[in-house]
């Protein structure tokens, strides 16, 4: 149940990431048109597109993990007995959970501090930094949830996906 | 020799974590955290502060934006018949050349390098378009993948180039001169690659499919219909290149023009559908997540190397040796190849430059020439394990293992080394074009 | 022995990185290498200028060298030195710094940091394809500016300010995407602007400050002698930079001429007064945002420079 929720949230976040990709392309084209034909500018292109790349990719981390898009070195795991293989999978997922929980905690600290201090970007848009950063944080937290879900699933004996196995 | 010991420990940690089979980005982050905690003796608070700042910074980058956009462009081409048409059109034309369509990656990367400033974007975009076609047509997979890994790095040598811009700003060398200086060495490397492929095709079995395509008989015939097949991609290239050289778009923005052009072509040929849109977007988003996860992890690793002062200390050591010019270049080349095992292009450049550039100038080398030399070093780094971006993205594209891809890339690594030697013996390969342009343009 | 890291996003040959090296050497000498500072130039630690404030506050690096414009999002006060045409010379920049220093120090102190020293960049001017001697020459011209203040000022003049990453500037100049750039003579010299824009008009647009700031816990943990050594090394580096900035401007003008460019620094009185007028909005907006602190600084600055 909870696992379905995590996967659903990951998919939803990835859809949002897709919307951001489309918006980024549109925004760059808009800047080109403004500069070339109206001698004008949005003045925030590199700032906004920068946020866009980070938010888009962080939001799709969870689904990329679920669907086996992240790469790994298969030399060992493809050549060990199934029991050991399962142990390695559980450890890998647990390590991912631990590392990104740690990172999420400190990212949260940054977001809260920037919110409290009212820090804005040094551009004409003066975007409060906590806004894009909290969207990145959502992506990292979804990744943590997906790592944790996979850990639990592998401990419980779920089949290990062999999508990227080849030697 | 503490530098040597530290370097070996870091290398061991990389092999340990990656060998364990954890995801590569998790492995590289683990190496960084381990080194920061155990070797640099940092507190968890400091480590958390550093890691999150680098994570946010390296991912929120304007220069990075071209990668997801080019991935999307490549995916649209892949999902429509544009890529099949391209190869149908090319097949009869290349029939007389030994290796035939195996040259497609090299030519494709050389052309694409003229619109993209990044090695990763070049490898992943051209690979998305070409690899499945080449496999389906029966070409040798290892040679196809290796040539793509090697030629993808031309994205950095043939202008525009992100690393050249960074070098130009830091070394105070004209970026336009650098761009000009990269052209001939880029073509030379491409020629070396193509020569090697022709040689392999002539001497090896099963490298190219038995039956020639398109012509059917002995004499290859190029028909008008084949040329029409080339039209969509030719248009795409003209539009994107044109947008850069007319000043309409900056090199960083050209990717968006590329996406637009690909969508227009898909629309005009009646292939644009909601399905195509959503599938290409979702697949690009996932691929981008994979690439950026590696960018973030590699950035943290290079920050960690910076805190270890490893590149600086080794470079300082070299500067104390008072070597002859060619010995200096040889030693620097070895130094950069070793750095390239762990680090990526921009990190290699910014970390070593403050020490190596004065050395080079003192030894009588032209900083413009050294820029091209450094780009070749950076290209080598993209195809050397354990941390090699072209190897990573190709694993993402092919599901082959890193070690297979690294082995397939090995000949191209050696060819790049030959290129470095040629560039050092004949610096005019880099310097002739910028000097000619400056002389003629006033 | 203490081993510190100092982050600077700019290249090894820039005024400020050279100053960092002066600081590091002076400190090593004064403490008998008890404190060793490694200067990481070119952003080689992975931090950009905009990250420095938190990086120092959190102790990720002990010291950083950061242009004030990147700190304006934390406190608009830090934009003071970037306001166009407020100071017209190196001497005036120094006067303004001395007046504002307590406020600067407070911003750093409130965030677990200590201000070691501040010193300016060479003044920015206009690189253009034609000699810019009056504002008419700027009408509709696509000019790359580098901060919101410049965008406002040049918009007011009827120019078309464009925002571009520094790395995109030369390619855009070469292809005609833009035809003018607001930057120092030095910025243009290092990138051979004369190949595209042969004229540099001196307008002394601003002499923005760089701040060298240090983690307060690290500073507080030093012995009194060490603290004294740090402050003295800071003074040595600061003095060096303030002296260097004047000579550097002249040397860069020589280089512009040697490369075949033209420096325009006379007959521009009308241009300068028109430019100042266009920039008044920026000053007003700044004063409004900063409030009484800002008014006090401006009043004192005007009384001390009223002779001009
Ligand atoms: Na390129
Ligand atoms: Na490598």
């Amino acid at each position: 149940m909870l696992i379905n929720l995590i996967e659903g949230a990951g998919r939803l976040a990835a859809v949002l990431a897709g919307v951001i990709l489309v918006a980024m392309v549109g925004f760059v084209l808009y800047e080109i048109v403004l500069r070339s034909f109206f001698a004008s500018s949005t003045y925030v292109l590199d700032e906004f597109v920068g946020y866009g790349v980070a938010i888009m990719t962080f939001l799709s981390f969870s689904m990329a993990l679920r669907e086996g898009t992240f790469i790994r070195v298969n030399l060992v795991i493809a050549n060990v007995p199934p029991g050991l293989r399962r142990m390695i999978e559980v450890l890998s997922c647990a390590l991912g959970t631990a590392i990104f929980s740690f990172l999420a905690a400190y990212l949260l600290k940054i977001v809260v501090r920037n919110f409290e201090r009212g820090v804005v970007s040094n551009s004409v848009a003066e975007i409060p930094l906590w806004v894009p950063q909290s969207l990145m944080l959502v992506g990292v937290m979804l990744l943590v949830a997906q790592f944790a879900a996979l850990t639990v699933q592998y401990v419980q004996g779920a089949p290990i996906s062999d999508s990227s196995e080849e030697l | 020799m503490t530098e040597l010991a530290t370097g070996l420990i870091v290398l061991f940690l990389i092999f340990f974590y990656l060998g364990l089979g954890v995801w590569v980005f998790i492995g590289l982050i683990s190496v960084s955290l381990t080194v920061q905690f155990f070797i640099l003796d940092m507190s968890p608070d400091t480590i958390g502060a550093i890691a999150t700042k680098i994570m946010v910074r390296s991912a929120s980058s304007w220069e990075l934006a071209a990668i997801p956009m080019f991935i999307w462009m490549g995916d649209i081409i892949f999902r429509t018949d544009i890529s099949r048409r391209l190869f149908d059109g090319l097949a009869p034309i290349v029939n007389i050349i030994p290796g035939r369509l195996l040259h497609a990656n090299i030519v494709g990367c050389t052309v694409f390098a003229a619109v993209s400033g990044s090695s990763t974007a070049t490898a992943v975009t051209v690979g998305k378009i070409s690899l499945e076609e080449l496999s389906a047509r029966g070409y040798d997979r290892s040679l196809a993948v290796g040539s793509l890994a090697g030629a993808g790095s031309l994205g950095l040598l043939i202008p525009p180039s992100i690393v050249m811009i960074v070098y130009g700003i830091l070394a105070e060398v004209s970026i336009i001169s650098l761009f000009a200086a990269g052209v001939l060495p880029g073509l030379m490397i491409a020629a070396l690659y193509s020569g090697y492929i022709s040689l392999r095709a002539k001497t090896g079995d099963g490298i190219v499919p038995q039956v020639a395509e398109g012509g059917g008989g002995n004499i290859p015939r190029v028909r008008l219909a084949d040329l029409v097949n080339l039209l969509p991609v030719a248009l795409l290239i003209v539009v994107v290149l044109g947008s850069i050289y007319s000043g309409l778009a900056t090199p960083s923005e050209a990717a968006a023009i590329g996406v637009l052009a690909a969508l227009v072509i898909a629309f005009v040929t009646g292939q644009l559908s909601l399905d195509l849109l959503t599938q290409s977007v979702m697949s690009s988003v996932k691929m981008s997540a994979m690439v950026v996860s590696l960018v973030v992890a590699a950035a943290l690793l290079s920050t960690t190397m910076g805190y270890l002062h490893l590149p600086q200390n080794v470079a300082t050591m070299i500067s104390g040796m008072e070597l002859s010019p060619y010995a200096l270049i040889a030693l620097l080349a070895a130094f950069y190849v070793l750095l390239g095992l762990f680090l990526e292009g921009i990190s290699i450049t910014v970390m070593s430059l403050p020490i190596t550039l004065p050395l080079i100038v003192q030894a009588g080398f032209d900083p413009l020439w050294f820029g091209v030399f450094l780009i070749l070093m950076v290209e080598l780094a993209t195809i050397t394990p354990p941390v090699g971006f072209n190897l990573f993205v190709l694993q993402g594209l092919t599901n082959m293992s890193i070690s297979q891809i690294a082995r397939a890339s090995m000949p191209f690594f050696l060819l790049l080394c030959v290129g470095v030697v040629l560039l050092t013996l004949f610096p005019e390969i880099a310097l002739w074009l910028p000097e000619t342009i400056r002389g003629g343009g006033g | 022995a203490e081993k510190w890291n100092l982050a600077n996003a700019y290249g090894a040959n820039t005024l400020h990185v050279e100053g960092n090296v002066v600081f590091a050497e002076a400190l090593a000498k004064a403490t008998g290498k008890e404190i060793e500072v490694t200067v990481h130039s070119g952003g080689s630690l992975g931090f950009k200028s905009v990250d420095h404030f938190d990086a120092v506050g959190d102790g990720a690096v002990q010291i950083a060298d950061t242009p004030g414009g990147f700190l304006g999002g934390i406190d608009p006060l830090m934009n003071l030195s970037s306001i166009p045409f407020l100071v017209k010379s190196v001497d005036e920049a120094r006067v303004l710094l001395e007046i504002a220093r307590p406020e600067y120090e407070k911003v750093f102190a409130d965030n677990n940091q200590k201000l070691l020293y501040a010193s300016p960049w060479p003044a920015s001017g206009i690189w253009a394809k034609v000699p810019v001697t009056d504002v008419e020459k700027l009408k509709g011209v696509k000019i790359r500016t580098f901060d919101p203040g410049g965008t406002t000022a040049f918009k007011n003049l009827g120019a078309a300010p464009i925002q571009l990453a520094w790395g995109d500037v030369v390619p855009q100049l070469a292809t005609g995407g833009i035809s003018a750039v607001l930057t120092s003579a030095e910025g243009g010299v290092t990138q051979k602007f004369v190949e595209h824009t042969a004229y540099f008009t001196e307008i002394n647009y601003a002499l923005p400050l760089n701040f060298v700031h240090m983690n307060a816990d690290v500073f507080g943990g030093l012995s009194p002698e060490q603290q004294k050594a740090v402050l003295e090394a800071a003074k040595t580096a600061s003095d060096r930079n303030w002296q260097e900035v004047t000579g550097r401007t002249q040397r860069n003008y020589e280089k512009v001429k040697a490369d075949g460019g033209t420096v325009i620094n006379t007959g521009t009185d009308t241009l300068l007064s028109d430019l100042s007028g266009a920039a008044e909005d920026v000053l007003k907006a700044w004063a409004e945002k900063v409030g009484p602190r800002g008014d006090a600084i401006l009043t004192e600055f005007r009384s001390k420079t009223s002779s001009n």
Side-chain angles (χ1 to χ4, degrees), chain B residues 337 339-344 378 380-389 391:
Chain B
V337 168
L339 265 192
L341 300 179
F342 316 88
L343 299 179
E344 282 312 304
V378 166
L380 286 171
T382 63
I383 52 175
T384 53
V387 182
F389 255 74
L391 305 180

Side-chain angles (χ1 to χ4, degrees), chain B residues 112-118 122 154-162:
Chain B
F112 189 77
V115 298
S116 151
S118 128
T122 307
L154 289 176
L156 301 173
L157 195 53
I158 292 174
S161 160
I162 293 173

Side-chain angles (χ1 to χ4, degrees), chain B residues 152 154 237 334 337 393 395 402 408 414-415 439:
Chain B
L154 289 176
I237 292 166
V337 168
V393 297
Q395 177 173 5
I402 290 272
L414 295 174
L415 288 167

Side-chain angles (χ1 to χ4, degrees), chain A residues 1-9 145-146 148-149 152:
Chain A
M1 189 56 207
L2 188 61
I3 282 170
N4 288 341
L5 192 71
I6 289 169
E7 284 178 14
Q146 186 60 69
V152 172

Side-chain angles (χ1 to χ4, degrees), chain A residues 91-167:
Chain A
L91 278 176
S92 297
C93 295
L95 184 64
T97 315
I99 285 179
F100 274 89
S101 303
F102 173 77
L103 294 176
Y106 281 92
L107 193 53
L108 177 65
K109 209 175 126 186
I110 292 179
V111 172
V112 169
R113 186 169 62 190
N114 283 336
F115 177 77
E116 286 172 353
R117 278 199 210 149
V119 179
V120 298
S121 64
N122 58 323
S123 72
V124 287
E126 302 197 340
I127 299 291
L129 286 186
W130 67 269
V131 175
Q133 285 170 351
S134 55
L135 286 168
M136 296 175 209
L137 177 61
V138 169
V140 173
M141 295 201 311
L142 288 172
L143 179 65
V144 171
Q146 186 60 69
F147 266 127
L150 280 178
T151 314
V152 172
Q153 282 175 299
Y154 287 147
V155 168
Q156 288 174 343
I160 290 163
S161 80
D162 261 9
S163 60
S164 56
E165 300 317 306
E166 196 182 313
L167 258 185

Side-chain angles (χ1 to χ4, degrees), chain B residues 368-393:
Chain B
L368 183 59
W369 174 86
F370 186 63
V372 177
F373 173 86
L374 193 60
I375 302 291
L376 284 175
M377 293 295 133
V378 166
E379 289 197 17
L380 286 171
T382 63
I383 52 175
T384 53
V387 182
F389 255 74
N390 283 9
L391 305 180
F392 291 153
V393 297

